[in-house]
Amino acid sequence: MVIKSDEQGSNVSNPTKRIRWATQRVTGPNERRIRQSIRGRFQNRKNTPAEKKRQSGDTSHLDGITEEPEESETGDGQELSGRRIHFNIPLPDAAKDEDGHPIARYERNKIRTAKYTPLSFVPKNLWFQFHNIANIYFLFVILLGIYWIFGNPNPALSSVPLIVILFLTAAKDAIEDWRRTVLDNELNNAPTHRLVEWNNVNSSEDNISLWRRIKKATTHSIISTYKTWTFKRKSSAAGGKSYTQRALDENRPSVDTRQSHRASVFSIQSGTSEDGIKMTPVPSPQPEAGQHPRNDGLAVNDRPTTSFSFEHNENAPPTNGHLSPAGQPDKDYVPKFYGSIMDPFKQVPGKARFKSDHWKSVQVGDFVRIYNEDQIPADVVVLSTSDPDGQCYVETKNLDGETNLKVRQALHCSRTMKHAKDCEKASFVIESEPPNVNLYQYSGAARWTQRDVRKPEEPGTEMAEPISINNLLLRGCSLRNTDWVLGVVVYTGRETKIMLNSGITPSKRSRIARDLNRYVVYNFVVLFCMCLVSGIVQGVTWAESSTSSDFFEYGSIGGRPSMDGFITFWSCVILFQNLVPISLYISLEIIKTAQAFFIYSDTWMYYEKIDYPCTPKSWNISDDLGQIEYIFSDKTGTLTQNVMEFKKCTINGVPYGEAYTEAQAGMQRRQGIDIEAEGAKFHKQIAEDRVRMLQDLRKMHANPYLHDDELTFVAPNFVNDLAGLSGVEQKTANKEFMLALALCHTVITERTPGDPPKLEFKAQSPDEAALVATARDCGFTVMGRSNDSIILNVLGQEQEFTVLNTLEFNSSRKRMSAIIRMPNGKIILYCKGADSVIYSRLRPGEQSQLRRLTGEHLEMFAREGLRTLCIACRELAEEEYQTWNKEHDLAAAAIIDREDKLEAVSDAIERELTLLGGTAIEDRLQDGVPDAIALLGDAGIKLWVLTGDKVETAINIGFSCNLLNNDMDLIVFKIEDEKLETAEAELDRHLETFGLKGSDEELQVARKDHRAPNPTHAIVIDGDSLKLVLENQLRQKFLLLCKQCKSVLCCRVSPSQKAAVVRMVKNGLDVMTLSVGDGANDVAMIQEADVGVGIAGEEGRQAVMSSDYAIGQFRYLQRLILVHGRWSYRRLAETIANFFYKNIVWTFALFWYQIYNNFDVTYLFDYTYILLVNLAFTSLPVIAMGILDQDVSDKVSLAVPQLYRRGIERKEWTSLKFWTYMLDGVYQSVICYYMGHFLFAPAKFVTSNGLTINDRPRVGVFIACATIVVVNTYVLINMYRWDWLILLLTAISILLIWFWTGVYTAFSSSLQFYKAAPQVFGQLSFWAMVLLTAGVCLLPRFAAKAFQKLYLPRDIDIIREQVGQGKFQHLDRYEAYVPPGKLPSAASSEVSEPAKLHQRGGKALDDDERPMYPPSIANTGTTHNPRSQTGSDGTDYTGHRPSVEQRPRASFERPLRPSFDRMRDSMDRIRPSFEASNDFTSAALLTRLESSHSGTANRRHGHGSSSLR
């Protein structure tokens, strides 16, 4: 590629805007899969020249850059399908069909997330419902009943249960879909301003299909009918009301429907109606004194009154000029010529205007104007903004959940466009890449013919400007702090990035639901056997001769025995239809809906700070919450608050900062120090130092932006050194360090008026905002931006620094750089990033002492649980920068692989750095995290932490939140050479500790063992090593090793690795898993786990949007799992078992009757009984069991978390339980039938009027009523909670059969059943038989439960007995959470051994009573606990230093001593062992790190070579 030389030949650099590349680039196999998926969505569209990318042989000028042909991305010469969008340029003939319409078809901007339309609801909903096999079965039964030969007495009535279930389900689906439709309509009809009365050549409005016309007509008719009916109803209701009453009833117009003051003003000024804005509604005041008019003749309004861009004042330095090396404006500087897409010689009619229109009317190629606070209607390329610099600010909360504002830039070639007539004069083409899912990457180019105003006769020069994600506004974002934006639409509807990313969360089914189908199949098998027996017996019976049937029967229906048996088989399918529980599915839907409502309504899981309750998003997996065995958690924002506070730093080898962190408190606790007393001393000293620092800061500079309550960096000695008390060298170093923090960022400044004013910083990460805020507190205040400059207030003096380039942070670079032209003309590159990355780019052979000291400080900071960054800089020569900047411009202009080229160019300049120092930021644990983790651990749940943080930070957080303790052998898995053989040898070595080899037999044993591992070992592994052990040949060994460890911490892992770990455990051990996270990087593991929980935190709501349950804080997880999860699992398991039981009792009672009529399918019960038994007579108790049953209260569930282990072991729902209930049902069906049978067998019953009641329908009343009493009472016995509501529902369900019999038999239409109720209910024998039957049926069940509770009690039985004895009454003093140490002892063997901690003298000691051991004997790869299983006696654990007992403990009695010295004095004891075991990035390793990325070009390596191993 060739760069055109500057026309003036100036050697002064030109400011270049930031180019943001993909921060989440998809690589590897997923990249190809995603691309193929995207391409597949558009294969049905014709590939035309209008939809193809430009030929690679074309050349053009990009901002003065000649673009050379580039190779295809696929490498095989094939072109990628893109699109060319023409603006005021006729389409080429190849892009039009024979009618002159565009061949390319783009998606409409109208979106539909609803499943149904008014036309498709009925057929589509029925189609979905009949995917349920039970519904198909009952439909088949109804169809069978239509034919009279199958003996259905009332075919129409038999369809009632199925119709009711289908109707209820359809109503639920309709309500849900109606809500989605309402939201869709609100979005599709949202207002936006679109340019009208001009020709958009890219789309044709005449091309509307017939089907669309029919749908639109149907929708409009339904809506108009509904509105008419609503209007008439409101009119009739308001007719008799007074004016005041009617006025109060009317809705006030919303903010969206009212015309804003701005719109109305400009409508009046332009003389147009409200629906059309002829001229752009932008005020154009006259230039103020001192301002120069624009060269395009268009006066531009002042900047928005916001500190996002620096507000000019008379004392401010010039902002639009260029600084010479002497620091003065360079008068000879000529700005780079970007060209203009507006044709100055084009004649336009001037009729175009911006008109308020609906989102759904927006098309590809439209000009749109977006105002402040408006949402973006489609993916829009920014042409111009109200800001003279072409900047605008968007909030992407609806897109990725982040609330931080993002900066977007207008194209340079279109920034002069302001009015609608400018849109008519613009003639250009946008070449765009095809739609894709990457939210952080976009490649395109704007191409036009540049005409010279001075030479109108010349044809012009072809020019182009690259378009990146920095120039694109995505649909769903909101415009903020910008008056207006003018842009053009490139993607609409389903092709926008937000819609491509709105993939549905993978459909999850609970484990019980998956098992349920198997048991339903068992019922089908039982039904088949019953029908087969009936058919065979009936066929054989009709085949016999010389029987009484020869004299009394007129022949069979089938005519021959085989056909009679066949007909009997299908008749029995109708008779025994209740064996397959159709109502079970709808009952489970009702139960799960109620359970979700209870979870949502739990006020103890409501996070008041952000007004967020626990929100179930997947209602059908609540029972899985009661079986969780493994929890996979992110750290930052999940276990921690993700609210960053700058605490410490190291500058020029001098540490600064006072802090007392939770990790530090945890270390002191392990050393045997009284942390309460020590912490009080620390906090007192920090408070005194804070006061002193504030006084010193204000003596040095009266900083109006310093607020006492916001100061987090407490270091009085830093202020002294900044004032020069320690010499000029340290003063200069401190100033340079703070300048780096204030200049190397992408923070947006927001000013809140006040006295004094308040500055807030909006950053894309909380870490960056904390760094800039600390610079502000120390007197280096970022005031705002102006053009390409940052305005700083440096100790009271405002200075302007020109930002030449910003090389932004991403996950692969792990660093960020800013190239700044200083006021003295020098060019400085400031870089901040991970310590390993920065150290590898330092100038070789220099600053060895500083490297060692800084590495030691960073290691100490990390051991305190702080997040560390390194800060470095480099001075660039003018010529060197100009040469590099040309390469950067070429990379920025690339259409293909732009991000990779930018990253390579950035890597070339970020070398030969000079180390300035490092920072340490604290991310505090959330409230209640250690207690929640301890409680979950007592429940038998294993918690793994999957984080992207450094190993040392994760280890200290692990100690802080009770994941790690000093009694554990810490297995630090770190493979130096990245070879599978080395990793396998390391795995085998550690497996030998537990006597394992990693065989398949051992895996099968592990799958059945749900016990919590002994708290003797923990694993810490980094991402590079994890990649090795996740290979197929090592995965099983690694899984078995992790199974033996109490805690697992995976550090420096990618989102895909998180999902792979979850998948490994879920599939390998066949366990229930739960993932919890708060960021977009946690979505993969959230969707992979059986249950995904998103935390609505500081990193956005992407995890929440993809989760099954959303909570506000991690601590709420204990209540969600241990209370609601356990309840839901136990309730649902018991409900399903009782459902199968009651159907068995009812159906087999009918079956036994068939024995005595040769299985001729005679109905013992009236047919209405058969239809209503599941729908009404027995439904309420089992549904009440699933919703309301409760073994113990929520407080007891939290007080005794060991009760949850029954769910981990899946003991509530087993095959044994299923068959036990089935056999119990068979036994009770025998009793229910034969009690009635033997009642009538010896004699005939005659009523007082002489009529008998031994006919079949009345005998059926005897047996049916007794069966209903037995079934409902049996369900009541199986409940734990008996209150008035449960008893009432059971009584209603029992009495309902009496009520129905009385009502139904009172009418003659009941035929033979007429008057059966008074005749049967009036007999004493009926009541005696019902009571006797109930007693005989329920006695075995009652006796078995009594024996089990007395002699084989479970944990829950013992706890319930203790609750009755009042041993848990003390819990009533507390509200939601049980304080530690207040739990009563449990008598059960399972409960009394929660974790089998080390016991001495036969007595388990509390944590507070256990002896503390120094960190130097913490178990690592080389240091072993004398109580561990490794066989070490622990007498010589390091050989580096004598025991800690021989050395006096460090004291805090020296108040002026820096906290770093105190920490080093404490940690010096553990440093040798950590370094010997190579646990994590230590100071020695950083010192030895080779600067592999500095030096000559032939030494360039990938980022991986600089990582520490």
Side-chain angles (χ1 to χ4, degrees), residues 719-846:
V719 183
N720 296 333
D721 292 350
L722 185 62
L725 299 183
S726 297
V728 178
E729 179 184 357
Q730 190 64 29
K731 175 182 178 179
T732 304
N734 286 7
K735 182 176 180 180
E736 189 74 12
F737 184 85
M738 284 299 162
L739 277 178
L741 298 186
L743 293 173
C744 185
H745 59 80
T746 58
V747 167
I748 300 169
T749 308
E750 187 176 37
R751 179 179 300 176
T752 302
D755 187 18
K758 185 177 182 180
L759 293 181
E760 293 184 2
F761 302 110
K762 303 293 184 181
Q764 298 186 21
S765 71
D767 304 68
E768 198 169 49
L771 296 176
V772 178
T774 298
R776 173 203 62 196
D777 295 339
C778 294
F780 297 77
T781 306
V782 180
M783 305 298 296
R785 297 177 182 268
S786 175
N787 290 331
D788 303 310
S789 302
I790 291 182
I791 311 300
L792 294 188
N793 186 309
V794 180
L795 299 176
Q797 297 181 355
E798 288 187 351
Q799 300 180 22
E800 181 176 0
F801 300 79
T802 304
V803 182
L804 302 179
N805 304 87
T806 299
L807 313 177
E808 295 193 8
F809 177 89
N810 66 34
S811 57
S812 61
R813 285 167 38 80
K814 299 180 181 178
R815 63 191 182 277
M816 174 201 171
S817 298
I819 302 178
I820 307 294
R821 183 177 292 279
M822 309 299 284
N824 59 8
K826 292 184 179 180
I827 299 177
I828 305 294
L829 179 145
Y830 292 105
C831 184
K832 64 183 180 185
D835 50 10
S836 58
V837 174
I838 299 299
Y839 266 65
S840 67
R841 285 165 172 76
L842 296 178
R843 190 184 301 273
E846 296 184 4

Side-chain angles (χ1 to χ4, degrees), residues 25-212:
R25 180 175 177 83
V26 181
T27 58
N30 289 336
E31 180 179 21
R32 182 176 299 275
R33 177 176 57 81
I34 292 175
R35 288 179 178 172
Q36 291 175 352
S37 173
I38 296 299
R39 292 179 186 177
R41 303 187 191 189
F42 308 107
Q43 284 181 353
N44 55 352
R45 204 159 24 139
K46 297 180 180 179
N47 291 325
T48 66
E51 273 295 289
K52 288 187 177 181
K53 208 170 181 65
R54 59 179 173 82
Q55 297 293 334
S56 60
D58 294 344
T59 61
S60 60
H61 296 283
L62 300 168
D63 296 349
I65 300 171
T66 303
E67 185 181 10
E68 294 180 346
E70 301 187 47
E71 295 181 358
S72 171
E73 184 176 357
T74 57
D76 55 6
Q78 295 180 355
E79 296 179 359
L80 295 177
S81 175
R83 59 179 56 180
R84 290 175 60 92
I85 309 171
H86 295 72
F87 300 89
N88 296 316
I89 297 177
L91 289 178
D93 294 336
K96 296 186 290 188
D97 58 18
E98 59 275 7
D99 298 327
H101 295 147
I103 295 178
R105 297 286 186 265
Y106 302 116
E107 289 284 345
R108 299 178 63 207
N109 204 40
K110 181 178 181 179
I111 56 101
R112 179 183 294 277
T113 60
K115 286 184 181 180
Y116 311 107
T117 65
L119 283 178
S120 66
F121 176 76
V122 174
K124 202 171 183 179
N125 186 262
L126 290 177
W127 170 256
F128 283 129
Q129 289 205 55
F130 279 104
H131 278 65
N132 189 334
I133 189 173
N135 289 343
I136 297 177
Y137 164 72
F138 275 93
L139 178 63
F140 176 72
V141 169
I142 293 171
L143 295 178
L144 279 180
I146 296 176
Y147 301 97
W148 64 270
I149 59 174
F150 295 116
N152 191 338
N154 196 334
L157 193 61
S158 64
S159 63
V160 170
L162 182 61
I163 291 175
V164 170
I165 290 173
L166 293 178
F167 176 79
L168 292 176
T169 305
K172 178 180 70 73
D173 294 341
I175 293 173
E176 292 178 355
D177 206 66
W178 173 255
R179 292 174 179 171
R180 285 191 288 264
T181 302
V182 169
L183 294 177
D184 289 344
N185 291 337
E186 289 179 358
L187 202 61
N188 292 327
N189 296 319
T192 191
H193 289 84
R194 184 171 69 100
L195 190 69
V196 297
E197 309 241 349
W198 78 288
N199 183 26
N200 183 357
V201 299
N202 302 283
S203 59
S204 175
E205 297 182 357
D206 301 331
N207 232 348
I208 300 178
S209 64
L210 177 62
W211 175 242
R212 260 190 67 189

Side-chain angles (χ1 to χ4, degrees), residues 22 47 217 231 240 288 574 682 719 783 847 852 931 936 1126 1188 1200 1241 1410:
N47 291 325
F231 176 76
E288 297 179 3
I574 300 175
F682 263 95
V719 183
M783 305 298 296
Q847 297 182 298
R852 184 186 64 80
D931 293 337
L936 294 171
R1126 195 183 68 83
L1188 301 175
V1200 191
R1410 294 172 60 184

Side-chain angles (χ1 to χ4, degrees), residues 304 306 308 372-373 386 392-393 405 479-483 750:
T306 160
F308 285 99
N372 190 32
E373 305 295 333
S386 60
C392 62
Y393 307 97
L405 298 184
L479 190 65
R480 294 285 186 265
N481 296 94
T482 307
D483 288 346
E750 187 176 37

Side-chain angles (χ1 to χ4, degrees), residues 363 386 429 1117:
Q363 297 175 329
S386 60
V429 175
L1117 200 60

